[in-house]
Every structure is written in C-alpha cells, then in structure tokens.
C-alpha cells in the first residue's frame, strides 16, 4: 500500500498465476503448459527472424499472422484479432465488449482471471453456479445481463459443452455479446468458430499457449464478425500499437502452418489424458470428464490442499484452488508418459501408504 496509488490500484485483487519453479528437476503439472515442445519449424522461423531487422517496429496489424489464422479457420483476415497472449485479448474484450450497465455473467467455477478483469475495468458481474456435476447449464443463463463469457471446455473442470449448446446460448441473447474462451478446445471439444458466420454477437478466443506449445511466446487471437473485431482494434490502438513482436509473429505463423506437429502432439496428449484419468480412477479419485489437457480430480479420503502440498514436497507440482466447492480438487496438467508415471507413483504412496506397490 502506498499513498501514491490510485483508488483503482488500491481496490485490485490481482490474479495469482501457478508457480514457475527455478529448478527444472520438478515434474511441472500445474499451469497447463504443453509437455511437448513447439514445432521445430517454429524455432527455425524465430531464429531466422532474429536479425538486424529487430531494430524496426513490427507490423502493427500482424497481417501475416492474421492471414495465416484466417486461412486455417476459414474466415476473413479482418475477422481475426491477435494479441500478446489470449490474456491480453481477453483484457481488451472485457473493456471493449463486456462492460455494460447490466451485469456480465460467467460460471462460479471458471477461469479466475475473469473477476480480476472485472475489478480492473469496474464491470459488475454475477456468477452462475455450475451444477453438482460441475457442468455449465445453458438454461441458467436465460436472465437479463450485459454480456456472457465462458470457457469451453470450462477451466478448471475440463468439461466441454457441445456446439449446439453454444449456438443456443448465442441465440438466446441476440443483443448481448457472448464470448467463448477456447483455450483448450483443441484437446477434443467443439469449436464455436463455425458459428461466428451466423451469430454477430459471438466472439471466440483461442491461444497458442496450450495446444501449440507456445506459452512463452505470448500469442492469442479472437475470431468474430467485423464490428466486434473493430471494437478490439480500437482498444488495442489506444493502448499499444505493437503487442506482437517480430519473433512472435514469425513463430506463430510457422505454428499455424505446421499442422502435422499440431495434430500429432494434441493426439498424444489426449491419449495420455485418458490413460491418466483411468489410473487416477484406480487410485480411488473421482475424475471429472475432461476435454482439455488437464484433469480435475478429488480423492474421497484426502484433502486437496494436503495432497498438493505433499506432492510438492516430492517434486511434483499440481494446481490447487483454495475456493469453496473445489477446495478438494487437484488440477493436474497432462504431461509426458514419464511425468504421468512420476505423478502416479507419488500419489500411490500418498493415498495407499501401506500397500504402496498395489494397483
Ligand atoms: C491458459 C488460459 C488462457 C490464457 O492463455 P494465454 O497464455 O494468455 O494465451 C485463457 N483462458 C483460459 C481459460 C486459460 O486456461
């Protein structure tokens, strides 16, 4: 606290990201990063871009990247907005499209950055409870509101909604913006991108951080009809004209173009996820059905905080949220085969201390 702070800074409760340990001998399953590296073509493209040209500002419109994304997703380049990570795209979206007199709606169990942005931009919101199975019920959103945002699949539950549910949600609210945060959609859920042509109120946001293994490059994007994209451009050009640097543009273009790498790594992650879910079930965990690159699981006899702390002592990081309804859950990123084995080995000792070698 300081007398120099503005009133809004006094009022903020900033987002606390998952731990990034200094040591690299830990099994890091806490921030949903991709355990497989980015495509070698991405690394080559970034290296090729690291030249004397770095003295020049990048293209403020990142046109090469918007063209590549547009071609990949079958939309026009002017229906694509890119930003410095989808967190930046989300921040501009909250300010440009979600700040209205009526409250913004989002699930009570969801990405914890949403209430943080509401605090930053002074947006009133209402949390809509997920059901006892932690599912989003679209019918619960049929109430007066200023706008709606939800991740699909939801985070941190991993549970996805079918495309027709998203279409119904957008159709229920023709005069409100409906934002679908598809950070994890490439791990098996339905994307709402094909719905954008029919719904002028729908904005779909994706990231290169998870399925394209580029969390460190900071690239995200939104797809929507022109008026929504123009709102984001107006905010961006009033804030920072060059959110994507030259290296990020070059790397992200190569990532979009290397579809083989993308398909192979996401398929491996989905396979590891299903195997890990089965193994956790065998250890007595209740595992929510995930369409993401993480699992949300709880054990009937062990508190979540305790399991997370004990795993941490043994060099395995998972995410735990000290929040009502989910305090007994662990959010576990799907890792490589080796990482999943290490996790299971430690959990086996923690949940069956006597018969450590069983199951
Ligand atoms: C990871 C994540 C993001 C942010 O990703 P960036 O790294 O900022 O692109 C956005 N929404 C959800 C739900 C996420 O889990």
């Amino acid at each position: 606290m300081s007398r120099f702070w503005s009133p809004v800074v006094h009022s903020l409760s900033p987002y606390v990201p998952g731990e990034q340990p200094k040591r690299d001998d830990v099994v890091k399953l806490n921030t949903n990063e991709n355990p497989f590296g980015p495509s070698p073509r991405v690394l080559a493209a970034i290296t090729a871009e690291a030249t004397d040209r770095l003295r020049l500002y990048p293209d403020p419109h990142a046109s090469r990247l918007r063209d590549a994304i547009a071609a990949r997703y079958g939309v026009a380049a002017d229906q694509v907005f890119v930003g410095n990570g989808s967190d930046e795209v989300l921040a501009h979206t909250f300010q440009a499209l979600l700040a209205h007199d009526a409250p913004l709606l989002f699930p009570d169990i969801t990405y914890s950055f949403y209430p943080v942005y509401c605090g930053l931009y002074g947006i009133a919101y209402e949390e809509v409870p997920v059901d006892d199975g932690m599912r989003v019920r679209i019918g619960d959103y049929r109430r007066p509101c200023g706008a709606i945002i939800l991740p699909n699949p939801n985070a941190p539950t991993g549970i996805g909604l079918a495309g027709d549910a998203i279409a119904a949600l957008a159709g229920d609210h023709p005069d409100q913006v409906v934002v679908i945060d598809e950070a994890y959609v490439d791990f098996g859920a339905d994307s709402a991108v094909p719905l954008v042509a029919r719904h002028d109120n729908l904005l779909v946001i994706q990231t290169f951080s998870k399925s394209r293994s580029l969390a460190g490059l900071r690239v995200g994007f939104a797809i929507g009809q022109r008026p929504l994209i123009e709102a984001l451009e107006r905010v961006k050009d009033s804030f920072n004209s060059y959110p994507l640097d030259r290296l990020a543009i070059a790397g992200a273009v190569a990532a979009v173009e290397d579809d083989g790498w993308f398909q192979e790594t996401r398929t491996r992650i989905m396979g590891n996820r299903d195997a890990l879910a089965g193994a956790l079930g065998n250890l007595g965990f209740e595992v929510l059905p995930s369409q993401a690159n993480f699992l949300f699981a709880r054990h009937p006899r062990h508190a979540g905080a305790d399991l997370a702390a004990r795993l941490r002592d043994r060099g395995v990081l998972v995410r735990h949220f000290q929040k009502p309804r989910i305090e007994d859950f662990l959010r576990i990123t799907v890792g490589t085969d080796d990482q999943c084995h290490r996790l299971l080995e430690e959990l086996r000792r923690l949940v069956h201390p006597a018969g450590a070698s069983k199951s």
Side-chain angles (χ1 to χ4, degrees):
M1 293 259 251
S2 156
R3 69 185 193 284
F4 302 119
W5 289 9
S6 69
V8 66
V9 169
H10 274 288
S11 75
L12 295 177
S13 350
Y15 178 75
V16 182
E19 175 179 0
Q20 293 291 346
K22 300 274 181 309
R23 296 162 36 196
D24 37 330
D25 57 342
V26 296
V27 176
K28 191 172 181 308
L29 305 176
N30 67 335
T31 52
N32 296 345
E33 287 141 336
N34 194 312
F36 305 112
S39 151
R41 284 168 57 180
V42 169
L43 304 182
I46 292 171
T47 308
E49 190 66 25
T51 67
D52 177 60
R53 271 177 314 204
L54 284 177
R55 70 194 176 77
L56 301 172
Y57 281 106
D59 171 10
H61 311 293
S63 300
R64 275 176 65 210
L65 178 57
R66 289 168 61 215
D67 288 347
I69 292 169
R72 170 71 170 69
Y73 290 94
V75 298
D78 69 359
Q79 297 182 310
V80 179
F81 177 82
V82 293
N84 189 253
S86 65
D87 284 338
E88 186 185 78
V89 178
L90 284 165
H92 291 339
T93 300
F94 273 71
Q95 196 174 27
L97 298 167
L98 305 184
H100 297 282
D101 290 334
L104 172 66
L105 304 183
F106 49 79
D108 62 336
I109 304 301
T110 197
Y111 189 33
S112 37
F113 228 131
Y114 300 161
V116 174
Y117 292 131
C118 288
L120 179 60
Y121 297 119
I123 301 170
Y125 64 92
E126 278 173 24
E127 296 179 331
V128 182
V130 294
D131 71 11
D132 290 340
M134 298 272 156
R135 289 180 181 276
V136 169
R137 283 179 306 209
I138 290 306
D140 295 346
Y141 290 76
R142 265 179 228 125
R143 56 165 105 166
C145 62
I148 295 171
I149 183 166
L150 37 99
N152 188 38
N154 196 12
T157 63
I159 299 175
L161 282 170
D164 54 1
I166 302 294
L169 183 68
D172 282 347
H173 300 275
D175 297 320
Q176 280 77 35
V177 173
V178 173
V179 176
I180 307 299
D181 179 352
E182 295 190 345
Y184 302 102
V185 77
D186 295 325
F187 302 105
D190 279 357
S191 174
V193 168
L195 301 174
V196 159
R198 272 182 287 131
H199 296 274
D200 65 357
N201 58 334
L202 188 62
L203 187 77
V204 180
I205 298 179
Q206 293 194 11
T207 176
F208 282 64
S209 296
K210 279 80 183 225
S211 58
R212 296 182 197 274
S213 204
L214 289 171
L217 201 65
R218 314 303 304 129
V219 183
F221 62 95
I223 293 178
Q225 288 193 24
R226 191 57 205 148
L228 301 189
I229 298 301
E230 191 184 338
L232 297 176
E233 289 169 353
R234 289 172 69 98
V235 169
K236 172 221 161 223
D237 290 329
S238 307
F239 174 76
N240 175 7
S241 309
Y242 308 104
L244 288 197
D245 60 67
R246 287 175 171 272
L247 306 183
I249 293 169
V253 167
V256 176
E257 289 174 352
D258 194 349
D259 201 56
W261 185 268
F262 168 75
Q263 299 297 351
E264 190 192 316
T265 49
R266 78 187 183 103
T267 304
R268 281 171 72 185
I269 290 169
M270 290 188 281
N272 286 5
R273 171 188 69 209
D274 298 342
L276 183 59
L280 289 170
N282 290 339
L283 289 176
F285 280 88
E286 174 199 350
V287 186
L288 300 188
S290 171
Q291 290 180 292
N293 69 338
F294 58 84
L295 294 169
F296 206 45
R298 66 178 159 192
H299 198 280
R301 293 191 313 278
H302 296 271
D306 184 53
L307 278 181
R310 301 224 257 154
L311 282 171
R312 190 175 186 285
D313 290 343
R314 293 153 188 258
V316 179
L317 294 184
V318 300
R319 194 89 195 264
H320 171 257
F321 300 94
Q322 195 58 53
K323 181 181 159 92
R325 299 193 74 185
I326 58 170
E327 68 248 346
D328 277 333
F329 281 88
L330 300 177
R331 193 197 66 190
I332 304 168
T333 304
V334 176
T336 60
D337 289 343
D338 281 356
Q339 291 176 317
C340 294
H341 287 146
R342 264 292 305 286
L343 167 80
L344 288 167
E345 204 172 84
E346 300 299 349
L347 280 177
R348 214 167 273 134
R349 291 203 189 101
L350 292 174
V351 304
H352 295 311
S357 61
K358 271 193 294 183
S359 86

